Amino acid sequence: MSLFSPYVLGDIRFANRMVMAPMTRCRAINGNAPGPLAVTYYVQRATAGLIITEGSQVSPQGVGFFRTPGIYSEEQVAGWKQVTAAVHRVGGKIFLQLWHVGRMSHPDFLSGGLPVAPSALPVNEEIHTPYGKKAIPVPRALGLTEIAAIVRDFRDGAAHAKKAGFDGVEIHGANGYLLDQFLRDGSNRRTDRYGGSLANRARFPLEVTEAVVKVWGAKRVGYRISPHFNIHAMSNAHPRETFGYLADRLSALGLAYIHLVEPVGGKLGAVSPDAQMAPLIRKKFEGALILNGGYGKESATRAIEDGLADLISFGAPFLANPDLPERFMRDAPLNHEDVATFYAGEEKGYTDYPTLGK
């Protein structure tokens, strides 16, 4: 068993255990739809065992970044169909990440409306809008009927992803976005059935998951978490209890995988051994575990061989190295990512990174 061994997830066979992590790239075209460049970008990286797309908002209310793709309109579905068909033609597997940013937005994205959140708590940060960098306003707390409507948005997004030809979906429950905001006690101060106790705070993320599972079946659904994430005014008094509970409930639903962001070193720093969540999630969750957090070839191989994870996801290394699996197998040098073009540049820093021999 190695990083290059095949892996079977439910009824899907991956060629290797290397996953391309979801990465916001801000290249969507008119109507927040993926365009021809996105087709090229994902096909270039289709030697990953699994591609997880950039986060794709499930409704116009879920937008918080300029030129990010959605999965709520026919135009967006048509754009994603071109991506999935092309990836499948070269033998790749691809999941769509379902996303709602919650309070990490601005009225410039929301036709003048306020961002939404579990509670009306400030973020005290700025965000890039179509009209420049602006302060994020204090969001408004969602009403009960609105929460139910967002669950339906995730369900509909999942159905649209199926129509677009994806192999499955990943629910974005990480990085201080809406589902994460509900789960953590630092961002959720509600006193109704969606706040207070851990079971109440987890209710909305689990309702979303159940709705998505009804569309896809549990073995085609994953869930991403980032227990150590502490920017965007995010905090949690008892993270092990919180994420252990969530993992246990996701396991009971039969989910295909949990995608855990846990820094292991490098540019991301490293989580101390006594704070590591992977062993706890491994114990609580019966499905596959994908780890992410600054892995290189050696550290990824060690995590697989030690049984700490089933698959490893790579972000910037896949961004800068379309042929990352081949480079790892051949111990070839890696391209360095151009940070200045992460979120802008059209083909520059997007589809123009060279492969071996080119």
Side-chain angles (χ1 to χ4, degrees):
M1 183 174 65
S2 77
L3 194 58
F4 309 110
S5 301
Y7 186 79
V8 177
L9 184 77
D11 60 352
I12 311 174
R13 185 182 185 276
F14 300 152
N16 56 60
R17 295 167 184 250
M18 296 178 64
V19 176
M20 177 177 161
M23 291 177 281
T24 297
R25 303 308 314 275
C26 299
R27 261 80 166 187
I29 58 175
N30 294 338
N32 281 344
L37 273 178
V39 177
T40 301
Y41 171 74
Y42 284 113
V43 167
Q44 287 175 338
R45 290 154 180 82
T47 55
L50 172 65
I51 292 171
I52 305 171
T53 72
E54 60 211 284
S56 300
Q57 51 266 1
V58 296
S59 71
Q61 186 193 64
V63 180
F65 289 80
F66 188 51
R67 292 185 64 186
T68 52
I71 191 64
Y72 56 85
S73 75
E74 290 302 316
E75 186 177 18
Q76 292 161 359
V77 170
W80 280 122
K81 274 185 178 179
Q82 299 301 311
V83 172
T84 61
V87 167
H88 289 151
R89 277 196 296 271
V90 296
K93 300 292 189 292
I94 183 167
F95 277 33
L96 178 116
Q97 191 186 63
L98 300 166
W99 189 32
H100 191 305
V101 303
R103 68 187 186 182
M104 293 303 299
S105 189
H106 189 277
D108 285 354
F109 292 112
L110 306 173
S111 301
L114 283 174
V116 298
S119 303
L121 299 172
V123 180
N124 296 321
E125 291 182 16
E126 293 183 323
I127 197 167
H128 289 279
T129 82
Y131 308 105
K133 201 171 184 180
K134 297 186 179 182
I136 298 173
V138 176
R140 64 176 183 83
L142 285 161
L144 291 176
T145 57
E146 291 180 297
I147 292 172
I150 294 174
V151 172
R152 292 192 293 272
D153 288 337
F154 273 91
R155 178 201 65 195
D156 293 346
H160 288 145
K162 180 174 276 192
K163 184 177 179 181
F166 284 94
D167 297 299
V169 292
E170 177 178 284
I171 299 166
H172 197 341
N175 296 12
Y177 298 121
L178 187 62
L179 274 65
D180 203 20
Q181 292 162 24
F182 268 85
L183 181 65
R184 301 217 224 172
D185 54 18
S187 47
N188 185 343
R189 306 290 174 80
R190 300 178 75 95
T191 57
D192 59 14
R193 63 196 301 265
Y194 289 99
S197 70
L198 175 51
N200 279 356
R201 298 197 315 273
R203 188 185 307 277
F204 171 62
L206 290 170
E207 286 180 349
V208 164
T209 305
E210 289 167 358
V212 172
V213 164
K214 286 180 180 177
V215 174
W216 274 97
K219 295 307 178 187
R220 295 288 182 123
V221 178
Y223 195 103
R224 196 174 207 223
I225 59 174
S226 56
H228 308 285
F229 189 88
N230 61 5
I231 61 174
H232 302 341
M234 295 299 293
S235 63
N236 194 200
H238 304 286
R240 295 184 71 81
E241 179 186 358
T242 297
F243 288 94
Y245 175 84
L246 180 66
D248 188 63
R249 291 298 308 276
L250 294 176
S251 187
L253 290 173
L255 242 58
Y257 69 79
I258 284 178
H259 189 176
L260 167 63
V261 183
E262 182 159 83
V264 295
K267 296 176 182 178
L268 298 175
V271 173
S272 63
D274 60 337
Q276 288 176 357
M277 289 281 186
L280 173 66
I281 302 302
R282 200 68 160 147
K283 180 180 178 181
K284 294 280 189 178
F285 184 72
E286 293 183 1
L289 179 60
I290 303 175
L291 292 184
N292 171 275
Y295 283 89
K297 178 184 176 180
E298 290 184 5
S299 55
T301 297
R302 193 162 52 248
I304 295 293
E305 291 179 346
D306 291 349
L308 186 62
D310 299 293
L311 305 106
I312 303 293
S313 79
F314 302 86
F318 252 125
L319 181 155
N321 299 275
D323 54 350
L324 188 64
E326 183 181 1
R327 288 176 186 263
F328 274 4
M329 282 193 288
R330 293 170 57 177
D331 289 319
L334 301 183
N335 300 323
H336 294 291
E337 63 271 17
D338 178 7
V339 177
T341 59
F342 275 7
Y343 308 112
E346 303 310 321
E347 71 280 353
K348 184 172 174 56
Y350 189 52
T351 58
D352 64 348
Y353 283 105
T355 54
L356 288 171
K358 294 184 180 180

